Amino acid sequence: MAGYAADKKACMARLKRAEGQVRGLQRMVEEDAYCLDVLTQVSAITKALQAVALGLMDDHLGHCVAAEAVEGRGAIEVKVREAAEAIAQLVHA
């Protein structure tokens, strides 16, 4: 089971909102909106997706990594490394 399973409905709602924002951004570009207005919307969409990513990371740490630590199957180092790599990817995005 995915770590975000308990929050799947909220995650989907956030993604649908971001999807709507992207559609709005496309309309703005299609209608030749002012550059700074378009950039403002790009920033808002970026922040919305970052919020989704942070929620997923929180769920991953709280579920997947924690379960590995509790169950002691010996792969905790792998899970922590995966989490660290995902965080690095988010930071450098």
Coordinates of all heavy atoms in Angstrom, one line a residue:
M1 N 0.8 -1.2 0.0 CA 0.0 0.0 0.0 C 0.9 1.2 0.0 O 1.9 1.3 0.7 CB -0.9 0.0 1.2 CG -1.8 1.2 1.3 SD -2.7 1.3 2.9 CE -3.9 0.1 2.6
A2 N 0.5 2.2 -0.8 CA 1.2 3.5 -0.9 C 1.1 4.3 0.4 O 0.1 4.2 1.1 CB 0.7 4.3 -2.0
G3 N 2.2 5.0 0.8 CA 2.2 5.8 2.0 C 1.1 6.9 2.0 O 0.7 7.3 3.1
Y4 N 0.7 7.3 0.8 CA -0.3 8.4 0.8 C -1.7 7.9 0.7 O -2.6 8.7 0.6 CB 0.0 9.3 -0.4 CG 0.0 8.6 -1.8 CD1 -1.1 8.3 -2.4 CD2 1.2 8.1 -2.3 CE1 -1.1 7.6 -3.6 CE2 1.2 7.4 -3.5 CZ 0.1 7.2 -4.2 OH 0.1 6.5 -5.4
A5 N -1.9 6.6 0.8 CA -3.2 6.0 0.7 C -4.3 6.6 1.6 O -5.4 6.9 1.2 CB -3.2 4.5 0.9
A6 N -3.9 6.9 2.8 CA -4.9 7.6 3.7 C -5.2 9.0 3.3 O -6.3 9.4 3.6 CB -4.3 7.6 5.2
D7 N -4.3 9.7 2.6 CA -4.6 11.0 2.2 C -4.8 11.1 0.7 O -4.7 12.2 0.1 CB -3.4 11.9 2.5 CG -3.2 12.1 4.0 OD1 -4.2 12.1 4.7 OD2 -2.0 12.2 4.4
K8 N -5.1 10.0 0.0 CA -5.3 10.0 -1.4 C -6.3 11.0 -1.9 O -6.1 11.7 -2.9 CB -5.6 8.6 -1.9 CG -5.6 8.4 -3.4 CD -5.9 6.9 -3.7 CE -5.8 6.7 -5.2 NZ -5.9 5.3 -5.5
K9 N -7.4 11.1 -1.2 CA -8.5 12.0 -1.7 C -8.0 13.4 -1.6 O -8.2 14.2 -2.6 CB -9.7 11.8 -0.8 CG -10.9 12.5 -1.2 CD -12.2 12.1 -0.4 CE -13.4 12.8 -0.9 NZ -14.6 12.4 -0.1
A10 N -7.3 13.8 -0.6 CA -6.8 15.2 -0.5 C -5.7 15.4 -1.5 O -5.7 16.5 -2.1 CB -6.3 15.4 0.9
C11 N -4.9 14.4 -1.7 CA -3.8 14.5 -2.7 C -4.4 14.7 -4.1 O -4.0 15.6 -4.9 CB -2.9 13.3 -2.7 SG -1.6 13.4 -3.8
M12 N -5.5 14.0 -4.4 CA -6.1 14.1 -5.7 C -6.8 15.5 -5.9 O -6.7 16.1 -7.0 CB -7.2 13.0 -5.9 CG -6.6 11.6 -6.1 SD -5.5 11.5 -7.6 CE -6.7 11.8 -8.9
A13 N -7.4 16.0 -4.8 CA -8.0 17.3 -4.9 C -7.0 18.4 -5.1 O -7.2 19.3 -6.0 CB -8.7 17.6 -3.5
R14 N -5.8 18.3 -4.5 CA -4.7 19.3 -4.7 C -4.2 19.2 -6.2 O -4.0 20.2 -6.8 CB -3.6 19.0 -3.8 CG -3.9 19.5 -2.3 CD -2.7 19.5 -1.5 NE -2.0 18.2 -1.3 CZ -2.3 17.3 -0.3 NH1 -3.2 17.7 0.6 NH2 -1.7 16.2 -0.3
L15 N -4.1 17.9 -6.7 CA -3.7 17.8 -8.1 C -4.7 18.3 -9.1 O -4.3 18.9 -10.1 CB -3.3 16.3 -8.4 CG -2.1 15.8 -7.7 CD1 -2.0 14.3 -7.8 CD2 -0.8 16.4 -8.3
K16 N -5.9 18.1 -8.8 CA -7.0 18.6 -9.7 C -7.0 20.1 -9.7 O -7.2 20.8 -10.7 CB -8.3 18.0 -9.3 CG -8.5 16.6 -9.7 CD -9.8 16.0 -9.3 CE -9.8 14.5 -9.4 NZ -10.5 14.1 -10.6
R17 N -6.8 20.7 -8.5 CA -6.7 22.2 -8.5 C -5.5 22.7 -9.3 O -5.6 23.7 -10.0 CB -6.5 22.7 -7.0 CG -7.8 23.0 -6.3 CD -7.7 23.8 -5.0 NE -6.7 23.2 -4.1 CZ -7.1 22.2 -3.2 NH1 -8.3 21.7 -3.2 NH2 -6.1 21.8 -2.4
A18 N -4.4 22.0 -9.2 CA -3.2 22.4 -9.9 C -3.5 22.2 -11.4 O -3.0 23.1 -12.2 CB -2.0 21.6 -9.5
E19 N -4.2 21.2 -11.8 CA -4.5 21.0 -13.2 C -5.4 22.1 -13.7 O -5.1 22.6 -14.8 CB -5.3 19.6 -13.3 CG -5.7 19.3 -14.7 CD -6.5 18.1 -14.8 OE1 -7.2 17.7 -13.8 OE2 -6.5 17.4 -15.9
G20 N -6.3 22.6 -12.9 CA -7.1 23.7 -13.3 C -6.3 25.0 -13.4 O -6.5 25.8 -14.3
Q21 N -5.3 25.1 -12.5 CA -4.4 26.3 -12.6 C -3.6 26.2 -13.9 O -3.4 27.3 -14.6 CB -3.5 26.3 -11.4 CG -4.1 26.7 -10.2 CD -3.1 26.7 -9.0 OE1 -2.6 25.7 -8.7 NE2 -2.9 27.9 -8.4
V22 N -3.2 25.1 -14.3 CA -2.4 24.9 -15.6 C -3.3 25.3 -16.8 O -2.9 26.0 -17.7 CB -1.8 23.5 -15.7 CG1 -1.2 23.3 -17.1 CG2 -0.7 23.3 -14.7
R23 N -4.5 24.8 -16.7 CA -5.5 25.2 -17.8 C -5.7 26.7 -17.9 O -5.7 27.3 -19.0 CB -6.8 24.4 -17.7 CG -6.7 23.0 -18.2 CD -8.1 22.4 -18.4 NE -8.2 21.3 -17.5 CZ -8.8 21.2 -16.4 NH1 -9.5 22.2 -15.9 NH2 -8.8 20.1 -15.6
G24 N -5.8 27.3 -16.7 CA -5.9 28.7 -16.7 C -4.7 29.4 -17.3 O -4.8 30.4 -18.0
L25 N -3.5 28.9 -16.9 CA -2.3 29.4 -17.4 C -2.2 29.3 -19.0 O -1.8 30.2 -19.7 CB -1.1 28.7 -16.8 CG 0.3 29.1 -17.2 CD1 0.6 30.6 -16.8 CD2 1.3 28.2 -16.5
Q26 N -2.7 28.2 -19.5 CA -2.7 28.0 -20.9 C -3.6 29.0 -21.6 O -3.2 29.6 -22.6 CB -3.2 26.6 -21.3 CG -2.2 25.5 -20.9 CD -2.8 24.1 -21.1 OE1 -3.9 23.9 -20.8 NE2 -1.9 23.2 -21.4
R27 N -4.7 29.3 -21.0 CA -5.6 30.3 -21.5 C -5.0 31.7 -21.5 O -5.1 32.5 -22.5 CB -6.9 30.4 -20.7 CG -8.0 29.5 -21.2 CD -9.4 29.8 -20.6 NE -9.3 29.8 -19.1 CZ -9.4 28.7 -18.3 NH1 -9.4 27.5 -18.9 NH2 -9.4 28.8 -17.0
M28 N -4.3 32.0 -20.4 CA -3.6 33.3 -20.3 C -2.6 33.4 -21.4 O -2.5 34.5 -22.1 CB -2.9 33.4 -19.0 CG -3.8 33.5 -17.8 SD -2.9 33.6 -16.2 CE -2.2 35.3 -16.3
V29 N -1.8 32.4 -21.7 CA -0.8 32.5 -22.8 C -1.5 32.6 -24.1 O -1.1 33.4 -25.0 CB 0.1 31.3 -22.7 CG1 1.0 31.2 -24.0 CG2 1.0 31.3 -21.5
E30 N -2.6 31.8 -24.3 CA -3.3 31.8 -25.6 C -3.9 33.2 -25.8 O -3.9 33.7 -27.0 CB -4.5 30.8 -25.5 CG -5.2 30.6 -26.8 CD -4.5 29.9 -27.9 OE1 -3.6 29.1 -27.5 OE2 -4.7 30.3 -29.0
E31 N -4.3 33.9 -24.7 CA -4.9 35.3 -24.9 C -3.9 36.4 -24.7 O -4.2 37.5 -24.6 CB -6.0 35.4 -23.8 CG -7.1 34.4 -24.0 CD -8.1 34.4 -22.8 OE1 -7.9 35.1 -21.8 OE2 -9.1 33.6 -22.9
D32 N -2.6 36.0 -24.8 CA -1.5 37.0 -24.7 C -1.5 37.9 -23.4 O -1.4 39.1 -23.5 CB -1.5 37.9 -25.9 CG -1.2 37.1 -27.2 OD1 -0.3 36.2 -27.1 OD2 -1.8 37.4 -28.2
A33 N -1.7 37.2 -22.3 CA -1.8 38.0 -21.0 C -0.4 38.6 -20.7 O 0.6 38.2 -21.3 CB -2.2 37.0 -19.9
Y34 N -0.4 39.6 -19.9 CA 0.8 40.3 -19.5 C 1.8 39.3 -18.9 O 1.4 38.4 -18.1 CB 0.4 41.4 -18.5 CG 1.5 42.3 -18.1 CD1 2.3 43.0 -19.0 CD2 1.9 42.4 -16.7 CE1 3.3 43.8 -18.6 CE2 2.9 43.2 -16.3 CZ 3.6 43.9 -17.2 OH 4.7 44.7 -16.8
C35 N 3.0 39.4 -19.3 CA 4.1 38.5 -18.9 C 4.2 38.2 -17.4 O 4.3 37.1 -16.9 CB 5.5 39.0 -19.4 SG 5.6 39.2 -21.2
L36 N 4.1 39.3 -16.6 CA 4.3 39.2 -15.2 C 3.1 38.5 -14.6 O 3.2 37.7 -13.6 CB 4.5 40.5 -14.5 CG 5.8 41.2 -14.9 CD1 6.0 42.5 -14.1 CD2 7.0 40.3 -14.5
D37 N 1.9 38.6 -15.2 CA 0.7 37.9 -14.7 C 0.9 36.4 -14.9 O 0.5 35.6 -14.1 CB -0.6 38.4 -15.4 CG -0.9 39.8 -14.9 OD1 -0.4 40.3 -13.9 OD2 -1.7 40.5 -15.7
V38 N 1.4 36.1 -16.1 CA 1.7 34.7 -16.4 C 2.7 34.1 -15.4 O 2.5 33.0 -14.9 CB 2.2 34.5 -17.9 CG1 2.6 33.1 -18.2 CG2 1.1 34.9 -18.8
L39 N 3.8 34.8 -15.2 CA 4.8 34.4 -14.3 C 4.3 34.2 -12.9 O 4.6 33.3 -12.1 CB 6.0 35.4 -14.3 CG 6.8 35.3 -15.5 CD1 7.8 36.5 -15.5 CD2 7.6 34.0 -15.6
T40 N 3.4 35.1 -12.5 CA 2.7 34.9 -11.1 C 2.0 33.6 -11.1 O 2.0 32.9 -10.0 CB 1.8 36.1 -10.9 OG1 2.6 37.3 -10.9 CG2 1.0 36.0 -9.6
Q41 N 1.3 33.3 -12.1 CA 0.5 32.0 -12.1 C 1.5 30.8 -12.2 O 1.2 29.8 -11.5 CB -0.4 32.0 -13.3 CG -1.7 32.8 -13.1 CD -2.4 32.4 -11.8 OE1 -2.7 31.3 -11.6 NE2 -2.6 33.4 -11.0
V42 N 2.6 30.9 -12.9 CA 3.6 29.8 -12.9 C 4.1 29.6 -11.5 O 4.2 28.5 -11.0 CB 4.7 30.2 -13.9 CG1 5.9 29.2 -13.7 CG2 4.2 30.1 -15.3
S43 N 4.3 30.7 -10.8 CA 4.8 30.6 -9.4 C 3.7 29.9 -8.5 O 4.1 29.1 -7.7 CB 5.1 32.0 -8.8 OG 5.5 31.9 -7.5
A44 N 2.5 30.3 -8.7 CA 1.4 29.7 -7.9 C 1.3 28.2 -8.2 O 1.1 27.4 -7.2 CB 0.1 30.4 -8.2
I45 N 1.4 27.8 -9.4 CA 1.3 26.4 -9.8 C 2.5 25.6 -9.2 O 2.3 24.5 -8.7 CB 1.2 26.2 -11.3 CG1 -0.1 26.8 -11.8 CG2 1.4 24.8 -11.7 CD1 -0.1 27.0 -13.3
T46 N 3.7 26.2 -9.3 CA 4.9 25.6 -8.7 C 4.7 25.3 -7.2 O 5.0 24.2 -6.7 CB 6.1 26.5 -9.0 OG1 6.2 26.6 -10.4 CG2 7.4 25.8 -8.4
K47 N 4.2 26.3 -6.5 CA 4.0 26.2 -5.1 C 2.9 25.1 -4.8 O 3.1 24.4 -3.8 CB 3.6 27.5 -4.5 CG 4.8 28.5 -4.4 CD 4.4 29.8 -3.9 CE 5.6 30.8 -4.0 NZ 5.2 32.1 -3.6
A48 N 1.9 25.1 -5.6 CA 0.9 24.1 -5.4 C 1.4 22.6 -5.6 O 1.2 21.7 -4.8 CB -0.3 24.3 -6.4
L49 N 2.3 22.5 -6.6 CA 2.9 21.1 -6.8 C 3.9 20.8 -5.7 O 4.1 19.7 -5.3 CB 3.5 21.1 -8.2 CG 2.5 21.0 -9.3 CD1 3.2 21.1 -10.7 CD2 1.6 19.8 -9.3
Q50 N 4.6 21.8 -5.3 CA 5.6 21.6 -4.2 C 4.8 21.2 -2.9 O 5.3 20.3 -2.2 CB 6.4 22.9 -3.9 CG 7.4 23.1 -4.9 CD 8.1 24.5 -4.8 OE1 7.6 25.4 -4.1 NE2 9.3 24.6 -5.3
A51 N 3.6 21.7 -2.7 CA 2.8 21.3 -1.5 C 2.4 19.9 -1.6 O 2.5 19.1 -0.7 CB 1.6 22.2 -1.4
V52 N 2.1 19.4 -2.9 CA 1.7 18.0 -3.1 C 3.0 17.2 -2.8 O 2.9 16.1 -2.1 CB 1.2 17.8 -4.5 CG1 1.1 16.3 -4.8 CG2 -0.1 18.5 -4.7
A53 N 4.1 17.6 -3.3 CA 5.3 16.8 -3.2 C 5.7 16.7 -1.7 O 6.1 15.6 -1.2 CB 6.5 17.5 -3.9
L54 N 5.6 17.8 -0.9 CA 5.9 17.7 0.5 C 5.0 16.8 1.2 O 5.4 16.1 2.1 CB 5.9 19.1 1.1 CG 7.1 20.0 0.6 CD1 6.8 21.5 1.2 CD2 8.4 19.5 1.1
G55 N 3.7 16.8 0.9 CA 2.7 15.9 1.5 C 3.1 14.5 1.2 O 3.0 13.6 2.1
L56 N 3.4 14.2 0.0 CA 3.8 12.8 -0.4 C 5.1 12.4 0.3 O 5.2 11.3 0.8 CB 4.0 12.7 -1.9 CG 2.8 12.8 -2.8 CD1 3.2 13.0 -4.2 CD2 1.9 11.6 -2.5
M57 N 6.0 13.3 0.5 CA 7.3 13.0 1.2 C 7.0 12.7 2.7 O 7.5 11.8 3.3 CB 8.3 14.1 1.1 CG 9.6 13.8 1.8 SD 10.4 12.3 1.3 CE 10.8 12.6 -0.4
D58 N 6.1 13.5 3.2 CA 5.7 13.3 4.6 C 5.1 12.0 4.8 O 5.4 11.2 5.7 CB 4.8 14.4 5.1 CG 4.5 14.4 6.6 OD1 5.4 14.4 7.4 OD2 3.3 14.3 6.9
D59 N 4.2 11.6 3.9 CA 3.5 10.3 4.0 C 4.5 9.2 3.8 O 4.5 8.2 4.5 CB 2.4 10.2 2.9 CG 1.2 11.1 3.2 OD1 1.1 11.5 4.3 OD2 0.5 11.4 2.2
H60 N 5.5 9.4 2.9 CA 6.5 8.3 2.6 C 7.3 8.1 3.9 O 7.6 7.0 4.3 CB 7.4 8.8 1.5 CG 8.5 7.8 1.2 ND1 8.3 6.5 0.7 CD2 9.8 7.9 1.3 CE1 9.4 5.9 0.6 NE2 10.4 6.7 1.0
L61 N 7.8 9.2 4.5 CA 8.6 9.1 5.7 C 7.8 8.5 6.8 O 8.3 7.6 7.5 CB 9.1 10.4 6.1 CG 10.2 11.1 5.2 CD1 10.5 12.5 5.6 CD2 11.4 10.2 5.1
G62 N 6.5 8.9 7.0 CA 5.7 8.4 8.1 C 5.2 7.0 7.9 O 4.9 6.3 8.9
H63 N 5.1 6.6 6.7 CA 4.6 5.2 6.4 C 5.7 4.3 6.0 O 6.0 3.3 6.7 CB 3.5 5.3 5.4 CG 2.9 4.0 5.0 ND1 3.3 3.2 3.9 CD2 1.9 3.3 5.6 CE1 2.6 2.1 3.9 NE2 1.8 2.1 4.9
C64 N 6.2 4.5 4.8 CA 7.2 3.6 4.2 C 8.5 3.4 5.0 O 8.9 2.3 5.3 CB 7.5 4.0 2.8 SG 6.0 4.0 1.7
V65 N 9.1 4.6 5.3 CA 10.4 4.5 6.0 C 10.1 4.1 7.5 O 10.9 3.2 8.0 CB 11.1 5.9 6.0 CG1 12.3 5.9 6.8 CG2 11.4 6.3 4.5
A66 N 9.1 4.6 8.1 CA 8.8 4.2 9.5 C 8.5 2.7 9.6 O 8.9 2.0 10.5 CB 7.7 5.0 10.1
A67 N 7.7 2.2 8.6 CA 7.4 0.8 8.7 C 8.6 -0.1 8.5 O 8.8 -1.1 9.2 CB 6.4 0.4 7.5
E68 N 9.5 0.4 7.7 CA 10.8 -0.4 7.5 C 11.6 -0.4 8.8 O 12.2 -1.4 9.2 CB 11.6 0.3 6.4 CG 12.7 -0.6 5.8 CD 12.2 -1.8 5.1 OE1 11.2 -1.7 4.4 OE2 12.8 -2.9 5.4
A69 N 11.6 0.8 9.5 CA 12.3 0.9 10.8 C 11.7 0.0 11.8 O 12.4 -0.7 12.6 CB 12.4 2.3 11.2
V70 N 10.4 0.0 11.9 CA 9.7 -0.8 12.9 C 9.8 -2.3 12.7 O 10.1 -3.1 13.6 CB 8.2 -0.4 13.0 CG1 7.4 -1.4 13.8 CG2 8.1 1.0 13.6
E71 N 9.7 -2.7 11.4 CA 9.7 -4.1 11.0 C 11.2 -4.6 11.0 O 11.4 -5.9 11.1 CB 9.1 -4.3 9.7 CG 7.6 -4.1 9.8 CD 6.9 -4.1 8.4 OE1 7.5 -4.7 7.5 OE2 5.8 -3.6 8.3
G72 N 12.1 -3.8 10.9 CA 13.5 -4.1 11.0 C 14.0 -5.2 10.0 O 14.7 -6.1 10.3
R73 N 13.5 -5.0 8.8 CA 13.8 -5.9 7.7 C 15.2 -5.7 7.1 O 15.6 -6.3 6.2 CB 12.8 -5.9 6.6 CG 11.4 -6.4 7.1 CD 10.5 -6.4 6.0 NE 10.1 -5.0 5.7 CZ 9.1 -4.6 4.9 NH1 8.3 -5.5 4.5 NH2 8.8 -3.3 4.7
G74 N 15.9 -4.7 7.7 CA 17.3 -4.5 7.2 C 17.4 -3.5 6.0 O 18.6 -3.3 5.6
A75 N 16.4 -3.1 5.5 CA 16.4 -2.2 4.3 C 16.2 -0.7 4.7 O 15.9 0.1 3.8 CB 15.4 -2.7 3.3
I76 N 16.3 -0.4 5.9 CA 16.0 1.0 6.4 C 17.0 1.9 5.7 O 16.6 3.0 5.3 CB 16.1 1.1 7.9 CG1 15.7 2.5 8.3 CG2 17.4 0.8 8.5 CD1 14.2 2.9 8.1
E77 N 18.2 1.5 5.5 CA 19.2 2.4 4.9 C 18.8 2.7 3.4 O 19.0 3.8 3.0 CB 20.6 1.7 4.9 CG 21.2 1.6 6.3 CD 20.8 0.3 6.9 OE1 20.1 -0.6 6.3 OE2 21.1 0.1 8.1
V78 N 18.2 1.7 2.8 CA 17.8 1.9 1.4 C 16.6 2.9 1.4 O 16.6 3.8 0.5 CB 17.3 0.6 0.8 CG1 16.7 0.8 -0.6 CG2 18.5 -0.4 0.6
K79 N 15.7 2.8 2.3 CA 14.5 3.7 2.3 C 15.0 5.1 2.6 O 14.5 6.0 2.1 CB 13.5 3.2 3.3 CG 12.8 1.9 2.9 CD 11.9 2.1 1.8 CE 11.1 0.8 1.4 NZ 10.4 0.9 0.2
V80 N 15.9 5.2 3.6 CA 16.4 6.6 3.9 C 17.1 7.2 2.8 O 16.9 8.4 2.5 CB 17.2 6.5 5.2 CG1 18.0 7.8 5.5 CG2 16.4 6.1 6.4
R81 N 17.9 6.4 2.1 CA 18.7 6.9 0.9 C 17.7 7.3 -0.2 O 17.8 8.4 -0.8 CB 19.6 5.9 0.4 CG 20.5 6.4 -0.7 CD 21.6 5.5 -1.2 NE 21.9 4.3 -0.5 CZ 21.4 3.1 -0.9 NH1 20.7 2.9 -1.9 NH2 21.7 2.0 -0.1
E82 N 16.7 6.5 -0.4 CA 15.6 6.9 -1.4 C 15.0 8.2 -1.1 O 14.8 9.1 -1.9 CB 14.6 5.8 -1.5 CG 15.0 4.5 -2.2 CD 14.0 3.4 -2.1 OE1 13.0 3.6 -1.4 OE2 14.1 2.4 -2.8
A83 N 14.6 8.3 0.2 CA 14.0 9.6 0.7 C 14.9 10.8 0.5 O 14.5 11.8 0.0 CB 13.5 9.4 2.1
A84 N 16.2 10.6 0.9 CA 17.2 11.7 0.7 C 17.3 12.1 -0.8 O 17.4 13.3 -1.1 CB 18.5 11.2 1.3
E85 N 17.4 11.1 -1.6 CA 17.5 11.4 -3.1 C 16.2 12.1 -3.6 O 16.3 13.0 -4.4 CB 17.7 10.1 -3.9 CG 19.1 9.5 -3.6 CD 19.2 8.1 -4.2 OE1 18.2 7.5 -4.8 OE2 20.3 7.5 -4.1
A86 N 15.1 11.7 -3.1 CA 13.8 12.4 -3.5 C 13.8 13.8 -3.0 O 13.4 14.7 -3.8 CB 12.6 11.6 -3.0
I87 N 14.3 14.0 -1.8 CA 14.3 15.4 -1.2 C 15.3 16.2 -2.1 O 15.0 17.4 -2.4 CB 14.7 15.4 0.2 CG1 13.6 14.8 1.1 CG2 15.1 16.8 0.7 CD1 14.0 14.4 2.5
A88 N 16.5 15.7 -2.4 CA 17.5 16.4 -3.2 C 16.9 16.7 -4.6 O 17.1 17.9 -5.1 CB 18.7 15.5 -3.4
Q89 N 16.1 15.8 -5.1 CA 15.5 16.1 -6.4 C 14.5 17.2 -6.3 O 14.4 18.1 -7.2 CB 14.8 14.8 -6.9 CG 14.5 14.8 -8.4 CD 14.0 13.4 -8.8 OE1 13.5 12.6 -8.0 NE2 14.2 13.1 -10.1
L90 N 13.7 17.3 -5.2 CA 12.7 18.3 -5.0 C 13.4 19.7 -4.8 O 13.0 20.7 -5.3 CB 11.9 18.0 -3.8 CG 10.9 16.9 -4.0 CD1 10.2 16.6 -2.6 CD2 9.8 17.3 -5.0
V91 N 14.5 19.7 -4.1 CA 15.2 20.9 -3.8 C 15.9 21.5 -5.1 O 15.9 22.7 -5.3 CB 16.3 20.7 -2.7 CG1 17.2 21.9 -2.5 CG2 15.6 20.4 -1.4
H92 N 16.3 20.6 -5.9 CA 17.0 21.1 -7.1 C 16.1 21.3 -8.3 O 16.5 21.7 -9.4 CB 18.1 20.1 -7.5 CG 19.2 20.0 -6.5 ND1 20.0 21.1 -6.1 CD2 19.7 19.0 -5.8 CE1 20.9 20.8 -5.2 NE2 20.7 19.5 -5.0
A93 N 14.8 21.1 -8.1 CA 13.9 21.2 -9.2 C 13.6 22.6 -9.6 O 13.9 23.5 -9.0 CB 12.5 20.5 -8.9

